[in-house]
Amino acid sequence: GIFDDDTAGDVRDAFEDELASGADASTAAKRVLAKFASDLDDDEGPVIYLALAALQLEQGALDDDIRKQALEIINTGEELDNWERSSPGDLLERKQVLENLRVQLSQWPTQHSN
């Protein structure tokens, strides 16, 4: 799944902590992005955006900028490089997970995005 990565699990934990403290999904995502800001420009950046997109989808509140960023990551395949290096046996499964997320993100009505 999307959260079969340590960083993605850390993002989920941070996001859920923000929700538990009373933040809405948009505010929680902004705070998580701030918390992980130093990781956004390295190999973990795509993982962070994909995790946030999946988490916001679960909440029914998807920010358009996170949606666009996640779709770009999926469409370019940049996140798959890490999987190809570290877990080549899981690459096909990861591609399917990302395709499922791409479909969900593509179907999201942009007029409901924040």
Side-chain angles (χ1 to χ4, degrees), residues 29-97:
K30 288 176 183 150
R31 290 178 182 168
V32 170
L33 284 172
K35 179 178 181 175
F36 289 88
S38 64
D39 298 322
L40 291 175
D41 291 329
D42 64 25
D43 290 345
E44 299 302 328
V47 174
I48 294 165
Y49 278 105
L50 293 172
L52 283 174
L55 290 162
Q56 284 194 321
L57 277 170
E58 288 175 6
Q59 293 297 312
L62 181 61
D63 291 331
D64 197 44
D65 56 333
I66 290 175
R67 177 184 169 274
K68 287 177 184 174
Q69 192 71 264
L71 281 170
E72 182 178 334
I73 290 163
I74 294 167
N75 290 336
T76 62
E78 71 179 280
E79 194 263 351
L80 292 173
D81 292 343
N82 293 336
W83 284 81
E84 195 167 19
R85 284 191 304 270
S86 63
S87 303
D90 296 329
L91 187 59
L92 187 59
E93 181 181 343
R94 185 63 174 182
K95 285 180 180 180
Q96 186 59 52
V97 166

